[in-house]
Amino acid sequence: MIEFKLPALGSDMDAGTLLEWKVGVGDTVKKGQVVAIVDTSKAAVEIESWQEGTVHQLIAEPGQKMPVGTVMATLLEAGAAAPARVGAGATAAAPAAAPPPPAAAPGAAGAPATRRMISPAARKHAEEKGMDLDRVTGTGPHGAVTLDDVERAAAAQPAAAPEPARPSDRSADMRKTIAAAMSRSKREIPHYYVAEDIPLAQALAWLQAANGARPMAERLLPAALLLKAVATALQRYPELNGYWRDGEFRAEQAIHLGVAISLRQGGLIAPALLDAGNKTLTQLMQELTDLVKRTRAGSLRSSEMSQATVTVTNLGDQGAQTVFGVITPPQVALVGFGRVAERPWAENGGLKVLPVVTASLAADHRVSDGHRGALFLRELNNLLQRPEDLET
Amino acid sequence: MNTSEIRAVALTTLLSIAPEVEADALRGDRPLRSQVDLDSMDWLNFLLGLHEKLQVEIPEADYARLVTLDDVVAYLQRKLAAR
């Protein structure tokens, strides 16, 4: 029996709400197949299964909010017999502990489950106010609800009943989520920062020539070239690509670049360009275009939300010259790019004007030091002086 | 197509990328990207959308000339007239 649990879609997620099942009982599930859509504070995310089997039971109900690790469904492995089904709401921490429904309608604390006494005036007034008398505490004889009780409760209740989540609520939730993750980062990760100005004359000239031969839909943005350069440089600096977990660093073989994408309604999501180290520049551009589009449309997959091994943020379009990044735990590094702008550039005793970008690195001192960080940026610089080598 | 029709196509394309934009509040003579907060990906998609709707080729070398909405409309009008 395979337990399909709600995954953590990033370190800043501790709960999610099931929106929809994409499979039914008896369906065969393949590895990587989307089986559910879950709403997090940041986006509605398509949850993939990383195991194969046949759906035995859908435990979570659409609309149910649950903590990370909750068993949402069970799958049967090929040839396995179906055991008895468990109750709804089983969690990883307490497998059979489905939250029991309320024993009775809420009323006065400790009140016996008998018919409540309510004065006619109190009942009439409650009806006029549209109040639920079960929520009014009675202070009259034997707990009877009086007119005074209703008036007191009416004065205390909010002006309007709570509404379903609105965009502003999501925005506030996202801000809280980002704040929690960044507070944890600043509290736990001893950041260090290094930066380097990188001339981009050759890179931009190469891009312009390359784009001249491409149809509009296939043109490359400088952002794609920068991402390719980061992925390539990281192959030589594995201590910047991986996770700090359980008191130690684990380097990751694959390079999954988390790309910070701002949302038009405010907030930020950093889904991953998976296996960026093995993608051509054209593939990276296509996947970046698709990722930005899906992020803003709210259509991301769980693998993209949970697997970034390092983050890249590019604030050049906003005009910032330098980015001082905050690392996304459990990652150990963040690469930032500022605005590409013409600047005076001294070289070989002469002065010229070149397009330049400032690349910065925020990294975790528990894993690397400024010396290695500076070498990484130097490697990035060298790669961007040979853009043709980054094409494949 | 006249200027008004081209402007309408440009605004429709823009709104498909930045739906929060209030078209009436846009100044045609001010830099579009700073009024609408378009990043380079948005800008590429905007130009691509115009290309697909109007069948106009926009070489990358011309991007620098397209700063305001008025610039974009005038550029497209010239391109369409030259066909």
Side-chain angles (χ1 to χ4, degrees), chain A residues 211 216 219 264 296 317, chain B residues 20 36 40 42 58 60 63:
Chain A
N211 283 338
M216 271 191 86
R219 284 182 195 159
R264 301 209 69 86
R296 291 181 173 157
D317 283 319
Chain B
E20 78 282 5
V36 184
S40 49
D42 295 327
I58 308 175
E60 197 180 46
Y63 287 5

Side-chain angles (χ1 to χ4, degrees), chain A residues 38-184:
Chain A
V38 167
D39 192 32
T40 72
S41 64
K42 288 189 164 185
V45 179
E46 295 176 344
I47 308 293
E48 299 144 294
S49 172
W50 297 110
Q51 288 169 301
E52 296 189 345
T54 304
V55 178
H56 172 242
Q57 187 179 4
L58 300 177
I59 299 170
E61 299 281 346
Q64 183 183 337
K65 185 171 184 178
M66 67 204 93
V68 167
T70 298
V71 179
M72 298 174 68
T74 52
L75 308 181
L76 292 172
E77 293 173 83
R85 294 178 180 182
V86 299
T91 67
T114 55
R115 187 176 175 188
R116 301 183 72 201
M117 289 184 289
I118 303 165
S119 79
R123 188 180 297 282
K124 184 169 183 295
H125 195 53
E127 283 173 3
E128 288 169 355
K129 293 272 183 187
M131 293 173 63
D132 180 3
L133 279 166
D134 285 339
R135 297 184 182 279
V136 178
T137 303
T139 60
H142 306 289
V145 177
T146 66
L147 180 59
D148 282 350
D149 294 329
V150 173
E151 286 180 337
R152 205 166 28 246
Q157 78 175 1
E163 294 175 1
R166 295 166 299 163
S168 58
D169 297 331
R170 180 184 280 283
S171 178
D173 285 349
M174 185 184 292
R175 188 51 50 200
K176 280 183 199 162
T177 302
I178 291 170
M182 296 298 96
S183 298
R184 178 187 157 197

Side-chain angles (χ1 to χ4, degrees), chain B residues 1-3 8-10 15-16 19 25 31 35 37 39 41 44 47 49 57 61 64 69-70 72 77-78 80-81 83:
Chain B
M1 284 181 105
N2 61 33
T3 306
V9 171
L15 286 170
S16 70
Q35 290 186 82
D37 188 17
D39 62 23
M41 182 69 80
L44 185 64
L47 298 180
E57 194 62 35
L69 186 59
D70 291 347
V72 172
Q77 196 161 28
R78 280 197 302 276
L80 288 168
R83 285 207 298 220

